[in-house]
Amino acid sequence: MKLGRENHRKSPALSSSAADVRSRWMLVTGIICVAAALRAPFTSVGPLLEMIRDDLGLSNTLAGAITTLPLLAFALLSPFAPQLARRLGLPNILMLAMLTLSMGILVRSASGTVTFFAGTAMIGLSIAVCNVLLPGLIKGKFPHRIGLMTGVYTVSMNICAAAASGVSVPLATSAGLGWRGTLALWFVIAALATIFWIPQMKSLGQSSAGAVRSSAVRIWRSPLAWQVTLFMGLQSLLYYVLISWFSVILGERGMTPGHAGWILSLMQLAQLPFTFFVPLWAGRMKNQRLLVVITFVLFIIGILGVWLGRTELMALWAICIGIGGGFAFGLAMMFFSLRTRTVQEASELSGMAQSAGYLLAAAGPALFGLLHDAAGSWNAPLALLAGACVLLFVAGMGAGRDRYVGDRL
């Protein structure tokens, strides 16, 4: 009887442990699904840009705004996302963001120019909220697995981003979906992410009620926070400039559009493994300066190779840039957690860095093109990118120190 009573007393604990494991795996699945939905609606537009422009009768300026508008939405809403989470609750605001994202995808493909840009704005605002709050959620729920979960989160985003870029044109042309059907197709991923997030409304509701509270650290006055912000912004600028102009540069070097597209895809594929592994490595290091050095070396070799190197080695230069981009993005995501002590500090640092960072990134492609038009060659624009790499290195060496944003330097 005594043994039976002991087993009876243990069973609720065992049951509770099993429930915790199931809840944790449901949260991991929810994060993966949300991350997968955050890039495909954005990266699927670029390959279809000419088709969209011609069908809607847009000027080149308005067509360029299709890419710029989400980045501006990221910049404008990112600082306010932590405040929204405090008022509405973290799980609630993330659910609202996913619902808005799903609706925005459908609105964007509905009819004319007005709905297209309205849907694009909805998508940008939704992604901004998730971008800011998910790193803080990971820090709060997986304090001993921050590197692993950040790697899972980033690689989920980038795999879907690369896939969306690659399949958009075949779906629109060969499959006969057109650009509207192709862009609307990503509603499926957003809707699935929304469904998988529903269980988190209850499981996170109680635990996160006090997790997102006002921070005593003045993030915007922290030199370390500005170093993280500059690192985030410069790596975003490098990414969006190269995504926008790399194929054009290769075309002027004599490559066919098909060959140039393959090189661009190679660059994006090269970064994927490192968006997973770099957060793991960063989380195990006392400081991340060695990873910053590797990032700089890879970027500068790749960009100088594109600028001054042999065209026959362009695939090698693209791989260097891609791996450097994987290092930079993984580090930027980890700095939000590694340089803060609390969930709220991580969310506020994420909001600050992504606000100023995406504002800088939004200006990058236009400035790059303007320099090319003014100089009549790619020398000045590529010199600008090399200079951005140097600034990235300087900011990264500061951000990579073993410090917190509230520390006195």
Side-chain angles (χ1 to χ4, degrees):
M1 290 296 292
K2 182 178 180 181
L3 181 60
R5 284 195 298 270
E6 289 177 351
N7 287 340
H8 181 72
R9 285 195 299 268
K10 290 179 181 179
S11 59
L14 293 173
S15 176
S16 176
S17 177
D20 289 343
V21 170
R22 286 195 300 270
S23 177
R24 185 60 58 93
W25 276 108
M26 285 298 294
L27 177 57
V28 171
T29 304
I31 290 173
I32 291 172
C33 291
V34 171
L38 294 184
R39 288 294 180 269
F42 181 64
T43 60
S44 58
V45 173
L48 303 173
L49 192 57
E50 291 186 12
M51 198 181 301
I52 296 169
R53 180 196 63 191
D54 295 341
D55 187 45
L56 294 179
L58 303 176
S59 65
N60 286 326
T61 302
L62 278 178
I66 294 173
T67 301
T68 304
L69 185 59
L71 294 177
L72 292 177
F74 296 169
L76 291 174
L77 187 60
S78 292
F80 304 105
Q83 299 175 30
L84 292 173
R86 284 201 300 269
R87 292 187 178 185
L88 302 178
L90 182 60
N92 296 331
I93 193 63
L94 286 172
M95 173 59 79
L96 181 60
M98 294 311 301
L99 288 171
T100 305
L101 176 63
S102 302
M103 291 173 58
I105 292 172
L106 294 180
V107 170
R108 183 176 63 178
S109 300
S111 55
T113 303
V114 174
T115 55
F116 181 87
F117 280 99
T120 299
M122 292 171 67
I123 290 168
L125 294 171
S126 305
I127 293 174
V129 170
C130 296
N131 278 345
V132 170
L133 296 180
L134 279 176
L137 175 65
I138 289 171
K139 181 178 180 66
K141 300 302 291 185
F142 302 94
H144 305 296
R145 295 288 186 271
I146 292 175
L148 174 63
M149 284 306 303
T150 301
V152 169
Y153 163 63
T154 56
V155 82
S156 298
M157 283 196 297
N158 288 306
I159 285 177
C160 285
S165 296
V167 304
S168 289
V169 172
L171 286 174
T173 56
S174 302
L177 294 180
W179 69 264
R180 295 182 191 277
T182 301
L183 294 185
L185 191 63
W186 304 113
F187 168 79
V188 176
I189 294 180
L192 285 174
T194 304
I195 292 170
F196 273 103
W197 195 253
I198 291 174
Q200 308 311 321
M201 301 294 290
K202 181 178 180 181
S203 63
L204 290 179
Q206 295 298 323
S207 62
S208 66
V212 184
R213 59 183 66 148
S214 182
S215 172
V217 176
R218 296 180 177 181
I219 296 290
W220 289 83
R221 296 186 181 182
S222 166
L224 178 57
W226 278 108
Q227 290 167 338
V228 172
T229 296
L230 187 58
F231 186 88
M232 174 68 191
L234 288 168
Q235 69 87 24
S236 297
L237 180 144
L238 289 166
Y239 176 79
Y240 286 107
V241 165
L242 290 165
I243 285 294
S244 301
W245 289 104
F246 196 32
S247 295
V248 179
I249 295 172
L250 297 181
E252 292 192 13
R253 295 285 180 87
M255 285 191 184
T256 64
H259 191 188
W262 177 80
I263 296 291
L264 183 61
S265 297
L266 183 64
M267 184 183 77
Q268 294 183 79
L269 290 172
Q271 76 174 0
L272 286 179
F274 297 94
T275 59
F276 177 78
F277 288 113
V278 168
L280 286 176
W281 299 334
R284 296 172 182 172
M285 301 172 74
K286 184 176 181 180
N287 69 69
Q288 292 72 41
R289 286 182 159 183
L290 176 60
L291 298 179
V292 172
V293 172
I294 296 172
T295 301
F296 169 73
V297 171
L298 288 165
F299 263 138
I300 204 69
I301 288 174
I303 289 171
L304 291 179
V306 173
W307 184 9
L308 305 170
R310 297 172 57 184
T311 304
E312 294 84 355
L313 297 177
M314 200 60 73
L316 175 61
W317 313 138
I319 289 172
C320 288
I321 292 171
I323 297 175
F327 267 76
F329 186 73
L331 276 172
M333 293 295 103
M334 280 298 289
F335 283 154
F336 303 150
S337 295
L338 294 176
R339 302 287 84 91
T340 55
R341 288 188 172 91
T342 68
V343 173
Q344 179 61 15
E345 288 177 9
S347 296
E348 290 185 2
L349 178 59
S350 176
M352 172 183 172
Q354 297 196 57
S355 174
Y358 283 119
L359 196 60
L360 182 60
L367 178 59
F368 195 82
L370 182 64
L371 282 176
H372 174 264
D373 292 341
S377 73
W378 294 110
N379 291 332
L382 288 171
L384 174 69
L385 285 195
C389 289
V390 175
L391 290 177
L392 181 79
F393 171 75
V394 173
M397 293 301 284
R401 293 172 299 165
D402 185 21
R403 297 285 190 276
Y404 295 102
V405 292
D407 293 346
R408 292 185 178 181
L409 301 182

